[in-house]
Amino acid sequence: MPDTLKSLGGPGANSGATTLGSLKTMDLMVNGQPVTREVAAHISLLDFLRDDLKLKGAKECCAVGECGACTVLVDGEPVNACLLLAVEGQGKSIETIEGVSKGAQLSTVQHSFLKCGGVQCGFCIPGMVMSAEALHRAMPEAGEVQVREALSGNLCRCGGYNRMFDAMRDAAGQKVQCHTTAPITGATVGADISRLGGVERVNGSQEFLADLDIAGMAHLKLVTLDVGRAQIKRIDTSKAHAVPGVIDVVTAADLPQPVARFGPAYQDRPIIAVGETRYHGEPVAAVVAESKDIAAYAAGLVEVEHVALPAVTSIDAALAQGAPLVQPVELRPDDPLAGSNVLKELNFGWGDVDGAAADLVVEKTYTFPMVTHFAIEPHGFIVDAQEDRMKIWSPVQHPFLLQKIMAGLFDLPLGAVQVIAPDPGGGFGGKQMPKFEPLVAVVSRRIGRPVRLVLTLEETFQAVRRAGARIHVRSGFSKDGDLLFHDIQSDYLIGAYVDIAERVTTKGNYLACGPYRVPNARIRARPVLSHTTPSCAYRGFGTPQVNWAVEGQINEAARQLGIDGLEIRLRNVADKGQEIVRGEVPADGHWLQAVQRAADMLGWDTTKPAGRGRGIAVGIKAGATTGLSNAMVRLLADGSILVFAGTSDMGQGARTIFAQIAADALGAPYDRVSLIMGDTDVVPFDLQTSASRSTVFMGTAITRACEDIHAQVIELACDTLGIPETEIRIEGGVIVLPDRREPIFDFVQKSLGSWNGELIGNGRMRKPNVAEHPLGGSPAFFEFNCTAFEVEVDRDTGEVMIHKHVTVGDVGKALNPLHVEMQDEGAAIMGLGHSLYEQILMDDAGRIRNLGAIDYRIVTSKDMPVRLSTGMIENEDGPGPKGSKGVSEGAILCTAPALGAAVADAIGVVITDLPMTPERIWRAIQEQTLG
Amino acid sequence: MKPFDFIMPGSLSEAYTVWEELGPAARLLAGGTDLTVALRHGHLATDVVIDLKGIAELKPDIEDDAGWLRVSAGTTMTTLCRYLSERALLPALQEAARVVGSIQIRNRATLAGNVCNASPAADTVPVLAALGAEVEICGPEGTRRTLITAFIEGNRQIDLQRGEIVTAVLIPKPQGRHGCAFDRITRRRGVDLATANLCCNIDDKGAVLFGLGAVSPRPLVLTDESGVMGDPKANHEDRAKAIQVMAAKARPISDVRASADYRSAMLCIMADRACKTAHARRAGGMDA
Ligand code: FES
Ligand code: FES
């Protein structure tokens, strides 16, 4: 142990009683105030600001200077606070996001960010605003080139870049498409109302999980092995135990035996690795200490004697004869496939594929890489577990599912398990299911204190990912371009534990044939276990993988038949009411309108500039198939409205949409609505926030809760005015009386006083489970998208330059067009990531080679297409309020095949493996040149 | 991270003394954009960090003296870029310095640090190498100067003896009609480490020199012996041949960023492009 380690003693369990390292005194200015503090030399400026000064606006994500979430200004210049030692701040003047707005008065940049829709989950925003602020102050009239450069050190995984470019134009005083920011009454639905919770996100006061300080909280750090798969021989925790400030070190041996396993569908994941680690990063021990710094240091002192075992990390390796079994046979009792790494064999289809006669048969194999969510907020959990009750803070997408799983695991009544779900800083599916909550709970119970675990970005990479896939397709076409059959074999590479991956494979492949009229289809899909991070839900669920292949087939057929990519789709895509999957609900929108709109927006029939290529593709994803969402709406005597909803607002803007719905239904100004979310003790049950369901499911529940209030308003009017019920109606948010019309909002303020109370409405939407349906029920709606590109490819280097990127969704009704645009762009940009750059790379030992932000590349402001635009088809034909449908995943479904088609059109090479990195395209060009 | 002590000497002599005394137990800190990451990830561990930013002699400063630019060790990339662009000096070095990380990084990272970190992918190093830049090293034994190409001995290895500190990077200003250009290949347009990078320098006599990055453990400077590259009107085949000869001397590796053969191929592409730009700059006759 270094001699710089000393215990300072001192009272209070959470007062930093023990500190690691020698302390230095420093003086600096922070947001204009002089500060004098002692700080250990190895503490980063970011930790100092957040933990010592409690300025939690700056965030930590990558901790290596790549994401910019920690950006602050030092002597006026933006820097990464994670890369500075706090002691380097000596004598400096630091400005954090907290110093940017004057009280509630936002700066010009902050105001523009909100107004133009730059803010989604908000986790990147404090850092982003600091970079934007620095540019704006230095160069108020900065143009897009400077803006792209200035923001390129800040990553936004929600994909807000386009709106931010707008915001910077707005801040520069240029005219941008005008969005409503003022709360309005009566017609917020359909208007670009700015985000509820937006102010907190631009001024840095929004509390994310890592910003919470729970009294008495101790800090946990995972102990992992740098090996893909290993047999654990012996764990020596003595050195870690000896570090002052370490409270406990926990291994599987310390847990009740047998160590419990959990999972949403299969109970296969142990709380902590028992005897064997099955993927790179699976924890074997956990150290809990007084500070995160001590925990991290001590975790490095835990000695784990282990033997590396062969790991299967690819589909071929997992399916090979004699491949090591990822899950022991005992874990899969009664499963005839238990002797293999195939989890399930799924079969769908209709018609007669083998008997179908085709003029053209296209047969190809496509691959889709493992990718990771890379939410800018790394995963984090806090649990206060006592013998008889438990409180869990987790930015989880499904608080009630977490409650259920934890109650089961710890044998507690549901009512004794409270889940508090702070808004996730981006979810994208990664935050759906429990991950380390059970481990944190076990440790919390052992030490009798709340325990916090916040993962590093590297650990987050090891915790969540999307299934990689290899898809082999044979497709038949008539010479005129009619699609006759698809014969699809999909293998999805899932992880060591199933999580929700079986459903991902099922749902994606059930709709493998896409939004087409296909007379004959055979789909065989297998989720294949491997020694890799458990793959989980991820925006688009299992569709982007198989759609890459199937749309690739359509593009290939078009090329071989000499038909245009647009024409072959106009010929085969189902239009409203036409059947796609035999026996399933038919197409629920005028999809051909979306295809045509995308083509028009791109300028499909204009002359193509020299050297450029164009491509187009479509996709559909099944919306939620089952569900139960409850909502409660309280209309208070002064017209205030409280909406209780179990949805998680992870950037999609659920809060805003719900407030709009309630405001309009009750004739109230938008700013009188408050949303109460994310606390299972307070909000009524909601199944989950997934599958773009919330507008439809929770939106409907809220609408119905407001209708429940309407009935009571009529009763109130009868009672107080003495008018018969038959003479009173509610229209929109207005009560219609024989002599006048009045917004409910105004009416209750005058009348409710006599009732001494408030009106409480309950509403729910339920879609029951249908046991015999392969998905448990028909999709509540389809998310349809058409994407088109115009690109240029550098034949020498393989680099792709995107000039135009167009995405059009069939949204039913845009309740908030700005929000729809934000969601759509976000999905599109994420799609560009897996199309062009993103992939988890493994070495032969099963280790991830590109953990963290340096070698896993996502889209930055400088990678944005020259022009990205969104269109929406609104026919008010969805099942949600005002005919809305879910919208947040469509634009990720067909990014890759549309881009692939554009690349092929530009340079004549066809890529079948993603991502289309410069090197991969270059290689394809070399092969083409060699013939 | 393993805790360490922190010392911020106020003068060079104070700095040598502690640095010499501590030796391998200490690490020097300039901008910290590489060191902090290495310490946090445990790639490096140290007992003491010696922060050089308090040393008066190393304060950010660029001097233009007798044909040399002397860039003090405390000078950040941002300051360097601003200085060069205001004076329209060394466009290739500007191009390289401007792509080191993000703005946030460039506000901290120093030119001397980029050299001392000795990453094969460092962007400024091929330019400095091609220009014949040197580092100025002060130590208890006095001051010495050494060529950057000699100073960087391998991947993360530099010729710095116990007690020695790099005090400045010295860049000879090209004289007469000359042209110099930088190019790099990355995986995306936004902030990225170079897959490969290169600088082409054509001197007043038309001799062509290439500085290559990320394709060998230490900076590689290659001269075009054929003379073809010095002729702006040379035909495509001859140029390709000359570049091939040169590229064959590089020893790229395959890693997570790219394969060796992509790197080799890109070397040729960059050499061709940079050479054209360098010729154009030379023809422009400006101090470029
Ligand atoms: S750049 Fe500091 S946390 Fe990512
Ligand atoms: S708003 Fe940028 S990461 Fe969510």
Side-chain angles (χ1 to χ4, degrees):
Chain A
M1 193 182 317
D3 52 13
T4 47
L5 187 71
K6 51 184 162 197
S7 178
L8 299 177
N14 195 34
S15 60
T18 309
T19 311
L20 210 51
S22 65
L23 296 178
K24 298 273 158 196
T25 303
M26 60 166 186
D27 300 293
L28 68 170
M29 298 290 285
V30 178
N31 297 329
Q33 301 291 320
V35 172
T36 302
R37 286 289 163 122
E38 286 202 311
V39 64
H42 65 285
I43 297 296
S44 68
L45 176 65
L46 180 61
D47 280 347
F48 172 72
L49 291 169
R50 290 177 50 83
D51 299 339
D52 291 27
L53 301 187
K54 305 291 176 203
L55 293 171
K56 308 230 180 192
K59 305 291 180 228
E60 178 165 316
C61 165
C62 72
V64 294
E66 285 280 331
C67 76
C70 63
T71 302
V72 299
L73 307 186
V74 172
D75 292 342
E77 293 189 323
V79 301
N80 304 111
C82 69
L83 291 187
L84 262 71
L85 300 174
V87 287
E88 292 179 88
Q90 165 63 33
K92 303 276 185 215
S93 173
I94 316 265
E95 185 178 348
T96 69
I97 186 74
E98 287 86 352
V100 172
S101 40
K102 310 272 169 284
Q105 186 65 43
L106 300 179
S107 74
T108 304
V109 166
Q110 288 174 317
H111 177 78
S112 297
F113 259 61
L114 264 190
K115 175 176 161 191
C116 300
V119 182
Q120 296 190 41
C121 81
F123 199 83
C124 73
I125 294 296
M128 192 72 78
V129 166
M130 294 315 286
S131 288
E133 213 34 75
L135 174 68
H136 183 72
R137 289 177 196 175
M139 201 191 283
E141 249 117 72
E144 188 158 318
V145 173
Q146 285 99 0
V147 169
R148 284 182 179 234
E149 177 68 37
L151 302 186
S152 68
N154 294 76
L155 300 174
C156 176
R157 189 56 153 170
C158 294
Y161 302 126
N162 227 18
R163 309 289 94 234
M164 294 172 195
F165 299 161
D166 256 8
M168 294 306 280
R169 270 193 285 275
D170 185 64
Q174 292 171 31
K175 206 167 157 41
V176 297
Q177 183 199 333
C178 230
H179 301 304
T180 314
T181 47
I184 50 172
T185 306
T188 70
V189 167
D192 295 325
I193 293 291
S194 76
R195 177 170 234 88
L196 198 60
V199 171
E200 295 80 349
R201 283 165 170 79
V202 287
N203 71 14
S205 64
Q206 173 70 29
E207 283 199 326
F208 293 95
L209 181 110
D211 304 331
L212 302 177
D213 266 324
I214 306 298
M217 183 167 78
H219 300 261
L220 194 76
K221 178 74 185 177
L222 304 176
V223 177
T224 59
L225 303 176
D226 193 21
V227 47
R229 176 181 170 227
Q231 187 189 1
I232 307 163
K233 292 286 200 193
R234 199 176 58 89
I235 303 179
D236 182 352
T237 61
S238 55
K239 289 204 182 99
H241 261 299
V243 176
V246 167
I247 304 163
D248 199 2
V249 184
V250 179
T251 68
D254 302 309
L255 267 55
Q257 304 293 320
V259 171
R261 292 175 181 266
F262 67 98
Y266 292 74
Q267 281 69 53
D268 57 352
R269 185 199 296 247
I271 291 178
I272 193 163
V274 188
E276 180 182 329
T277 58
R278 295 198 162 79
Y279 64 90
H280 185 208
E282 181 171 14
V284 296
V287 176
V288 63
E290 294 296 346
S291 73
K292 63 175 199 242
D293 184 37
I294 297 174
Y297 172 65
L301 301 177
V302 174
E303 287 167 6
V304 184
E305 201 184 301
H306 63 274
V307 182
L309 298 173
V312 295
T313 59
S314 67
I315 290 167
D316 281 335
L319 296 177
Q321 274 289 331
L325 285 187
V326 176
Q327 296 203 341
V329 179
E330 314 84 80
L331 260 187
R332 301 166 61 190
D334 315 323
D335 180 350
L337 293 171
S340 77
N341 287 319
V342 175
L343 179 73
K344 258 284 176 40
E345 284 173 342
L346 304 159
N347 294 293
F348 309 113
W350 55 89
D352 176 11
V353 167
D354 298 321
D359 298 322
L360 170 72
V361 174
V362 176
E363 182 164 3
K364 275 179 177 294
T365 302
Y366 301 80
T367 65
F368 194 103
M370 295 189 250
V371 293
T372 188
H373 303 67
F374 205 144
I376 304 300
E377 176 196 41
H379 291 223
F381 324 88
I382 302 171
V383 183
D384 183 4
Q386 284 148 29
E387 269 319 301
D388 59 342
R389 45 182 314 112
M390 185 179 289
K391 194 165 173 176
I392 305 158
W393 292 261
S394 172
V396 69
Q397 293 174 231
H398 308 340
F400 287 93
L401 188 66
L402 176 60
Q403 180 193 43
K404 177 172 141 191
I405 289 178
M406 295 294 277
L409 262 181
F410 292 87
D411 199 19
L412 290 169
L414 279 176
V417 177
Q418 180 185 10
V419 175
I420 296 182
D423 286 359
F428 317 118
K431 291 174 181 159
Q432 287 190 357
M433 300 302 164
K435 298 283 181 290
F436 292 119
E437 290 91 338
L439 176 59
V440 181
V442 164
V443 178
S444 169
R445 240 194 203 176
R446 275 173 69 90
I447 68 166
R449 285 169 57 177
V451 172
R452 168 197 200 257
L453 169 65
V454 173
L455 301 185
T456 62
L457 183 65
E458 289 81 1
E459 289 167 336
T460 299
F461 273 37
Q462 293 175 317
V464 290
R465 68 168 177 94
R466 189 200 285 279
R470 184 176 62 197
I471 296 142
H472 179 86
V473 197
R474 268 179 65 240
S475 312
F477 297 84
S478 77
K479 59 182 186 318
D480 301 326
D482 290 323
L483 173 56
L484 301 175
F485 71 84
H486 277 311
D487 188 1
I488 301 168
Q489 170 73 56
S490 282
D491 286 322
Y492 279 38
L493 188 71
I494 69 168
Y497 306 111
V498 179
D499 197 281
I500 197 72
E502 183 197 328
R503 179 143 178 95
V504 169
T505 315
T506 307
K507 228 177 149 190
N509 284 286
Y510 180 71
L511 284 185
C513 294
Y516 291 90
R517 291 175 277 104
V518 190
N520 307 288
R522 178 162 56 213
I523 303 157
R524 289 168 293 185
R526 299 183 291 188
V528 179
L529 293 156
S530 65
H531 291 112
T532 58
T533 292
S535 69
C536 55
Y538 191 134
R539 199 174 209 161
F541 225 50
T543 296
Q545 294 97 317
V546 69
N547 205 44
W548 162 239
V550 173
E551 281 295 273
Q553 293 289 95
I554 304 283
N555 289 328
E556 183 61 30
R559 283 187 292 267
Q560 291 198 24
L561 293 168
I563 304 177
D564 178 273
L566 171 63
E567 195 198 318
I568 197 167
R569 288 182 171 81
L570 290 175
R571 196 176 183 97
N572 290 290
V573 167
D575 211 355
K576 190 159 185 169
Q578 294 181 332
E579 186 171 62
I580 39 174
V581 172
R582 186 75 46 92
E584 186 48 271
V585 292
D588 67 346
H590 294 282
W591 294 344
L592 293 177
Q593 290 176 5
V595 176
Q596 193 58 56
R597 173 80 61 85
D600 293 346
M601 285 172 65
L602 192 86
W604 192 267
D605 55 9
T606 60
T607 315
K608 208 163 40 178
R612 294 201 188 166
R614 288 176 183 158
I616 192 165
V618 293
I620 48 163
K621 176 183 174 284
T625 56
T626 52
L628 173 61
S629 292
N630 290 282
M632 180 169 76
V633 177
R634 291 168 55 193
L635 176 56
L636 309 188
D638 68 348
S640 309
I641 297 163
L642 303 180
V643 178
F644 294 74
T647 303
S648 291
D649 192 340
M650 49 192 172
Q652 84 281 43
R655 201 176 261 110
T656 310
I657 300 292
F658 297 164
Q660 288 181 262
I661 292 172
D664 286 7
L666 301 174
Y670 168 74
D671 63 356
R672 295 302 289 270
V673 186
S674 303
L675 259 294
I676 292 100
M677 295 163 78
D679 182 344
T680 56
D681 269 12
V682 178
V683 301
F685 181 88
D686 177 42
L687 185 69
Q688 45 192 241
T689 306
S690 68
S692 307
R693 74 174 64 218
S694 299
T695 294
V696 170
F697 278 72
M698 190 56 80
T700 298
I702 291 169
T703 304
R704 290 179 183 160
C706 291
E707 286 162 6
D708 188 3
I709 290 183
H710 291 167
Q712 299 170 50
V713 169
I714 292 177
E715 189 188 336
L716 175 69
C718 298
D719 189 64
T720 53
L721 304 176
I723 308 173
E725 199 183 313
T726 48
E727 290 177 26
I728 310 171
R729 281 181 296 121
I730 303 281
E731 259 175 31
V734 170
I735 178 163
V736 184
L737 299 163
D739 60 335
R740 64 182 198 276
R741 303 167 58 90
E742 198 170 7
I744 294 172
F745 172 75
D746 296 322
F747 178 75
V748 291
Q749 290 184 58
K750 282 184 253 161
S751 317
L752 197 51
S754 63
W755 274 21
N756 278 328
E758 63 181 43
L759 303 182
I760 301 177
N762 286 300
R764 72 189 166 102
M765 171 160 175
R766 177 166 172 260
K767 195 165 184 306
N769 196 57
V770 180
E772 49 298 347
H773 192 286
L775 301 182
S778 287
F781 55 86
F782 294 106
E783 251 191 270
F784 177 90
N785 180 275
C786 181
T787 292
F789 283 97
E790 184 172 301
V791 306
E792 204 178 326
V793 180
D794 183 328
R795 291 193 67 100
D796 290 336
T797 63
E799 290 165 303
V800 176
M801 176 74 183
I802 301 174
H803 289 275
K804 294 183 199 165
H805 179 174
V806 168
T807 130
V808 178
D810 173 48
V811 305
K813 164 80 183 166
L815 301 184
N816 184 321
L818 176 60
H819 274 48
V820 170
E821 196 170 352
M822 287 152 72
Q823 281 296 298
D824 203 57
E825 288 181 350
I829 293 168
M830 207 172 238
L832 287 180
H834 69 226
S835 301
L836 292 169
Y837 320 117
E838 293 181 38
Q839 53 184 331
I840 293 175
L841 299 164
M842 314 283 299
D843 68 11
D844 292 340
R847 291 177 303 192
I848 300 177
R849 295 161 72 201
N850 56 344
L851 273 184
I854 295 177
D855 282 312
Y856 186 93
R857 311 276 64 180
I858 63 173
V859 175
T860 73
S861 54
K862 281 166 88 172
D863 303 299
M864 286 288 291
V866 177
R867 215 187 79 208
L868 166 62
S869 31
T870 288
M872 13 189 141
I873 300 298
E874 294 182 271
N875 292 311
E876 305 193 0
D877 52 1
K882 317 273 182 202
S884 56
K885 304 176 187 178
V887 296
S888 61
E889 300 173 89
I892 201 173
L893 305 178
C894 47
T895 327
L899 193 56
V903 167
D905 187 42
I907 54 168
V909 301
V910 177
I911 308 280
T912 49
D913 301 311
L914 291 179
M916 292 179 266
T917 59
E919 176 167 354
R920 191 163 262 154
I921 292 178
W922 169 83
R923 203 169 288 286
I925 295 171
Q926 301 309 303
E927 279 159 17
Q928 175 199 44
T929 324
L930 294 175
Chain B
M1 137 171 40
K2 179 172 159 287
F4 47 75
D5 212 336
F6 178 83
I7 302 174
M8 194 164 175
S11 71
L12 258 185
S13 55
E14 207 185 307
Y16 317 136
T17 318
V18 276
W19 176 220
E20 190 176 24
E21 186 191 314
L22 292 165
R27 287 273 164 187
L28 299 178
L29 170 74
T33 50
D34 291 309
L35 182 68
T36 320
V37 174
L39 291 173
R40 182 170 295 132
H41 286 174
H43 300 319
L44 291 178
T46 189
D47 294 332
V48 183
V49 165
I50 304 173
D51 187 355
L52 303 176
K53 290 190 287 295
I55 300 174
E57 297 95 317
L58 304 189
K59 289 279 183 237
D61 181 41
I62 302 172
E63 268 173 53
D64 190 343
D65 185 30
W68 290 76
L69 279 190
R70 183 184 181 282
V71 182
S72 75
T75 309
T76 61
M77 295 293 180
T78 302
T79 307
L80 176 68
C81 288
R82 194 176 304 139
Y83 179 94
L84 297 177
S85 85
E86 279 167 9
R87 291 163 184 76
L89 274 178
L90 301 174
L93 186 58
Q94 277 185 56
E95 284 161 346
R98 218 185 293 131
V99 293
V100 174
S102 59
I103 290 183
Q104 290 97 312
I105 298 282
R106 297 196 290 279
N107 283 338
R108 297 296 296 180
T110 61
L111 181 65
N114 202 219
V115 172
C116 290
N117 188 46
S119 155
D123 285 303
T124 60
V125 170
V127 183
L128 295 172
L131 291 172
E134 302 177 5
V135 283
E136 176 190 276
I137 301 165
C138 291
E141 309 294 312
T143 301
R144 64 185 175 103
R145 288 170 64 152
T146 177
L147 273 172
I148 280 190
T149 42
F151 177 70
I152 299 177
E153 297 178 320
N155 187 358
R156 315 268 167 192
Q157 281 163 11
I158 49 176
D159 166 27
L160 200 65
Q161 304 307 311
R162 191 160 178 155
E164 287 189 328
I165 291 170
V166 170
T167 46
V169 177
L170 305 162
I171 310 159
K173 291 205 309 186
Q175 302 301 320
R177 235 164 64 86
H178 68 275
C180 189
F182 172 79
D183 200 359
R184 78 201 290 247
I185 297 286
T186 53
R187 294 162 294 181
R188 68 176 179 197
R189 287 191 171 71
V191 181
D192 201 0
L193 295 167
T195 298
N197 52 19
L198 166 151
C199 173
C200 173
N201 189 33
I202 310 175
D203 70 11
D204 54 343
K205 297 179 203 68
V208 180
L209 210 104
F210 291 95
L212 273 49
V215 290
S216 76
R218 51 187 298 185
L220 197 58
V221 176
L222 301 172
T223 316
D224 167 44
E225 318 248 333
S226 68
V228 171
M229 302 305 287
D231 172 9
K233 294 189 200 71
N235 72 40
H236 181 75
E237 277 84 69
D238 291 347
R239 292 165 63 87
K241 215 176 288 158
I243 290 173
Q244 285 294 345
V245 169
M246 184 195 68
K249 297 187 182 137
R251 290 281 166 272
I253 55 159
S254 292
D255 66 9
V256 73
R257 268 163 238 152
S259 67
D261 54 336
Y262 183 64
R263 285 198 164 98
S264 294
M266 291 309 104
L267 204 62
C268 300
I269 300 294
M270 290 188 298
D272 194 38
R273 289 182 181 181
C275 189
K276 283 186 184 137
T277 310
H279 271 299
R281 285 182 176 157
R282 190 165 181 266
M286 299 168 319
D287 186 18

